[in-house]
């Protein structure tokens, strides 16, 4: 059975990636954050509200996804930390929209022995509870639920002097109980991941499963930009102009290095060549583009034809195994094949020295305040969000409206803004007749691409279940 595509299409992974991106872009818990996350979850068709009778199947698939991701993300401390943080943020969001009449059921199902006290008990302790809980400023106590919780479960609130204690119990308002629930959740999930990690040798003995789990923890969940819906829509004369207006920094620096040095090493040629293919260069255009540039570097035309044209044709699926290679995603660029001295590929936000990155951003006319914001994101290792912030600044938009995951996504969204919401204007160039699958159209935007990941989910999850039940 072929599982690579099926594992990548699991809804939970796309959900957690969205939670991460929005958690960096917006203040968690704010109305804007809640609204943005709710919209993303709707696009992903994720069942984020309280269980309904007709939601059994979606929730079953979500549970399967979650436990497969436990296998993938238990393999290192960094992976475990990332997984726990995103799961906690998602739980915080879901608890925040839980109806009050469902909270007690949730606590019971979660085996948390927290009981809401009666109105009589609240009245007896009203002054003490209000005085001890900062969240009660301007709020009437009778409108809030108060939970009686063992003191040991409320240590964080106690340390911050944010809770009323009496006879070994803490009296915690509903607004504060989420902190306790998250602590319990963190402890249990951390323990579960540790136990899963101890079981990894059994998983690693299955040669079918282990490579897929290794890939999954670093996988890209969006559109692959392999269908070339834009084939033939740009001319070679446009590339210089497009590089300054619509290329992400990783491709902009590769284009600049190619123009200045008339050569790129293999890593740079692969990263930049597949990007150009994805934005619409035909095979004939690609051969002409690279040959013209390399000849400027005093390379003999015959040497180029013998040593380099084969690799270009190979990347278009015309040689070797006829594999139609897809442009690199942000994750692939960030996590694989780091550049060495003399290389220009990679992600500038991940692989550049901060001072050099600052100088580069200054040359791109980014404001000092904008540079500070980007460098802060880079310092926090939020490289894709830093690139997204760069996108917003060069296009003068407050919110780009998407989570950036791919250099070709950057280009498409840029062109859409610059062309007033329309696709790239068609150039009078005949597309190559041998291009594969010309009838397949590109997904129109990033959100619909994410939504389409789940279109074949029923069949995928059925096959996954069959695998794990073997």
């Amino acid at each position: 059975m072929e599982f690579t595509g099926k594992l990548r299409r699991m809804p939970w992974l796309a959900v957690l990636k969205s939670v991460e991106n929005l958690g960096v872009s917006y203040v968690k818990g704010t109305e804007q954050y809640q609204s943005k996350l709710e919209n993303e979850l709707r696009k992903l068709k994720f069942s984020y509200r309280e269980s309904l009778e007709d939601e059994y199947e979606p929730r079953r698939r979500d549970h399967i996804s979650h436990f497969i991701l436990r296998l993938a993300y238990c393999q290192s401390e960094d992976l475990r930390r990332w997984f726990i943080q995103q799961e906690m943020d998602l739980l915080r969001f879901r608890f925040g929209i839980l109806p009050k009449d469902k909270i007690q059921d949730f606590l019971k199902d979660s085996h948390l022995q927290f009981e809401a006290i009666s109105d009589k008990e609240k009245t007896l302790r009203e002054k003490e509870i209000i005085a001890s809980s900062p969240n009660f400023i301007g709020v009437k106590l009778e409108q809030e639920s108060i939970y009686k919780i063992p003191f040991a479960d409320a240590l964080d609130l106690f340390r911050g002097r944010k809770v009323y204690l009496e006879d070994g119990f803490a009296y915690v308002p509903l607004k504060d109980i989420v902190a306790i629930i998250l602590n319990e959740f963190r402890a249990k999930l951390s323990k579960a991941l540790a136990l899963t990690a101890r079981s990894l040798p059994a998983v690693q003995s299955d040669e079918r499963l282990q490579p897929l789990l290794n890939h999954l923890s670093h996988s890209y969940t969006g559109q692959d930009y392999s269908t070339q819906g834009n084939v033939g829509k740009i001319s070679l004369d446009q590339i210089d102009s497009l590089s300054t207006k619509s290329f992400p920094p990783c491709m902009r620096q590769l284009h600049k290095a190619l123009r200045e040095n008339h050569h790129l090493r293999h890593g740079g040629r692969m990263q930049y060549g597949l990007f150009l293919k994805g934005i619409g260069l035909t095979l004939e255009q690609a051969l002409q583009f690279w040959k013209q540039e390399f000849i400027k570097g005093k390379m003999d035309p015959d040497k180029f034809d013998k040593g380099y044209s084969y690799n270009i044709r190979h990347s278009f699926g015309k040689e070797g195994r006829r594999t139609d290679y897809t442009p690199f995603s942000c994750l692939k660029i960030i996590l694989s094949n780091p550049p060495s001295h003399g290389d220009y590929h990679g992600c500038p936000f991940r692989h550049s020295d901060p001072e050099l990155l600052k100088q580069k951003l200054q040359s791109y006319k980014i404001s000092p305040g904008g540079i500070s914001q980007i460098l802060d994101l880079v310092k926090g290792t939020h490289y894709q969000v830093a690139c997204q912030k760069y996108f917003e600044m060069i296009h003068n938009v407050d919110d780009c409206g998407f989570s950036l995951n791919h250099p070709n996504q950057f280009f498409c969204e840029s062109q859409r803004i610059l062309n007033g919401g329309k696709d790239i204007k068609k150039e009078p160039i005949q597309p190559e007749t041998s291009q594969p699958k010309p009838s397949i159209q590109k997904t129109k935007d990033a959100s619909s691409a994410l939504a389409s990941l789940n279109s074949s989910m029923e069949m995928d999850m059925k096959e996954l279940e069959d695998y794990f039940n073997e």
Side-chain angles (χ1 to χ4, degrees):
M1 230 184 290
E2 179 56 58
F3 289 104
T4 304
K6 296 171 176 52
L7 286 175
R8 285 177 60 193
R9 284 196 294 270
M10 290 193 302
W12 202 280
L13 181 56
V15 167
L16 296 185
K17 297 288 187 183
S18 295
V19 170
E20 177 189 29
N21 288 337
L22 292 173
V24 176
S25 302
Y26 303 95
V27 179
K28 296 174 186 177
T30 61
E31 185 176 341
Q32 188 179 26
Y33 169 83
Q34 297 286 104
S35 175
K36 291 283 185 181
L37 183 51
E38 190 162 357
N39 287 337
E40 284 295 315
L41 297 181
R42 282 202 194 102
K43 292 173 188 175
L44 294 167
K45 297 181 180 179
F46 177 72
S47 303
Y48 59 91
R49 290 192 176 275
E50 177 64 13
S51 179
L52 302 174
E53 291 182 4
D54 60 350
E55 286 193 347
Y56 171 76
E57 282 302 316
R59 286 188 174 276
R60 181 180 65 85
R61 294 196 296 268
D62 294 340
H63 292 166
I64 292 171
S65 297
H66 170 80
F67 283 98
I68 293 174
L69 288 178
R70 279 195 188 185
L71 283 171
Y73 281 85
C74 72
Q75 301 183 65
S76 74
E77 182 60 34
D78 286 342
L79 290 176
R80 288 193 291 270
R81 188 183 300 112
W82 182 89
F83 185 64
I84 290 171
Q85 184 59 57
Q86 310 323 315
E87 288 280 6
M88 286 178 61
D89 287 345
L90 182 59
L91 176 60
R92 182 188 291 108
F93 164 78
R94 296 175 75 178
F95 185 82
I97 62 173
L98 197 64
K100 285 189 177 182
D101 61 340
K102 299 290 185 181
I103 290 176
Q104 197 61 56
D105 291 338
F106 167 80
L107 295 174
K108 183 178 179 181
D109 292 342
S110 303
H111 306 291
L112 297 172
Q113 305 303 315
F114 303 160
E115 290 287 341
I117 65 175
S118 66
D119 290 338
K120 182 179 180 180
E121 288 184 282
K122 277 198 290 185
T123 302
L124 287 173
R125 299 171 176 84
E126 181 175 3
K127 291 182 179 179
E128 291 84 356
I129 293 174
I130 291 176
S132 303
S133 304
N135 281 333
F136 271 127
I137 298 175
V139 178
K140 294 182 179 180
L141 185 61
E142 60 266 23
Q143 297 175 350
E144 290 291 320
S145 297
I146 304 295
Y147 291 84
K148 185 178 179 181
I149 295 174
F151 162 73
D153 291 329
L155 290 178
D156 285 347
L157 292 174
F158 171 69
R159 290 190 191 99
R161 299 186 179 185
K162 296 178 180 179
V163 68
Y164 171 62
L165 301 178
E166 182 181 316
D167 296 333
F169 288 93
Y171 289 80
V172 183
L174 174 60
K175 291 182 178 180
D176 291 330
I177 201 173
V178 65
I180 297 172
I181 293 172
L182 289 174
N183 283 338
E184 289 283 331
F185 178 73
R186 182 199 290 114
K188 289 182 178 180
L189 183 55
S190 180
K191 182 178 180 181
L193 288 172
L195 291 173
T196 305
R198 285 161 57 181
S199 303
L200 274 180
V203 176
Q204 291 167 338
S205 66
D206 190 326
E207 61 184 16
R208 299 170 298 171
L209 188 57
Q210 180 60 22
L212 302 180
L213 294 176
N214 286 339
H215 168 79
L216 184 61
S217 63
H218 296 135
S219 70
Y220 165 63
T221 59
Q223 186 178 346
D224 64 12
Y225 297 92
S226 62
T227 57
Q228 288 204 76
N230 288 326
V231 64
K233 288 188 178 180
I234 66 170
S235 67
L236 297 184
D237 292 338
Q238 288 179 288
I239 294 179
D240 285 332
S241 173
L242 289 172
S243 70
T244 60
K245 294 189 299 183
S246 294
F247 281 17
C250 57
M251 301 305 169
R252 189 170 177 176
Q253 83 174 4
L254 280 167
H255 181 77
K256 183 173 184 288
L258 178 62
R259 289 302 199 207
E260 290 178 351
N261 304 322
H262 311 299
H263 187 271
L264 286 175
R265 291 181 178 177
H266 178 73
R269 295 197 303 273
M270 282 294 293
Q271 181 175 317
Y272 189 41
L274 290 174
F275 169 79
L276 292 175
K277 173 189 172 187
I279 69 173
L281 246 62
T282 65
L283 173 57
E284 291 179 356
Q285 286 177 306
L287 288 168
Q288 181 184 351
F289 172 76
W290 289 101
K291 187 173 184 177
Q292 286 178 347
E293 201 59 48
F294 274 44
I295 288 175
K296 291 178 183 177
K298 311 304 181 185
M299 178 177 287
D300 184 83
D302 289 338
K303 181 179 179 181
F304 178 88
D305 291 337
K306 293 177 182 178
Y308 294 91
S309 62
Y310 175 88
N311 290 334
I312 296 171
R313 292 179 57 80
H314 189 274
S315 69
F316 276 78
K318 304 303 180 185
E319 301 287 356
R321 295 184 178 181
R322 309 282 173 171
T323 301
D324 189 13
Y325 289 91
T326 61
F328 292 172
S329 69
C330 292
L331 276 176
K332 183 175 180 64
I333 293 171
I334 290 169
L335 296 171
S336 62
N337 189 25
S340 57
H341 180 70
D343 286 327
Y344 294 93
H345 66 274
C347 170
F349 301 105
R350 169 64 180 88
H351 299 117
S352 293
D353 176 82
E355 189 57 37
L356 292 177
L357 176 60
K358 181 179 179 180
Q359 293 174 17
K360 188 169 296 184
L361 292 172
Q362 288 172 338
S363 72
Y364 295 161
K365 310 301 182 186
I366 304 298
S367 68
I371 292 175
S372 295
Q373 291 182 53
I374 291 173
L375 292 179
D376 284 344
L377 290 168
V378 169
K379 188 176 180 180
T381 71
H382 303 298
Y383 309 118
Q384 290 166 244
V385 183
C387 192
Q388 187 170 311
K389 181 63 67 176
Y390 167 83
F391 179 99
E392 292 170 349
M393 290 173 180
I394 66 169
H395 293 90
N396 196 28
V397 294
D398 292 330
D399 184 354
C400 62
F402 62 87
S403 295
L404 183 63
N405 294 297
H406 204 291
N408 291 77
Q409 178 192 9
F410 186 108
F411 176 82
C412 291
E413 296 294 344
S414 171
Q415 285 292 290
R416 197 162 286 123
I417 290 175
L418 296 176
N419 293 330
K422 299 178 181 179
D423 288 331
I424 306 167
K425 189 174 182 180
K426 181 73 174 180
E427 287 291 312
I429 299 173
Q430 291 297 320
E432 190 184 358
T433 57
S434 59
Q435 282 298 324
K437 302 179 183 179
S439 61
I440 299 178
Q441 296 299 311
K442 263 191 169 182
T443 308
K444 289 299 179 184
D445 53 39
S447 60
S448 62
L450 284 171
S452 71
L453 292 172
N454 299 310
S455 61
S456 60
M457 183 57 65
E458 284 193 25
M459 183 180 298
D460 294 343
M461 297 313 300
K462 176 65 169 62
E463 293 184 11
L464 278 169
E465 281 189 278
D466 291 342
Y467 176 85
F468 284 104
N469 288 332
E470 287 181 359

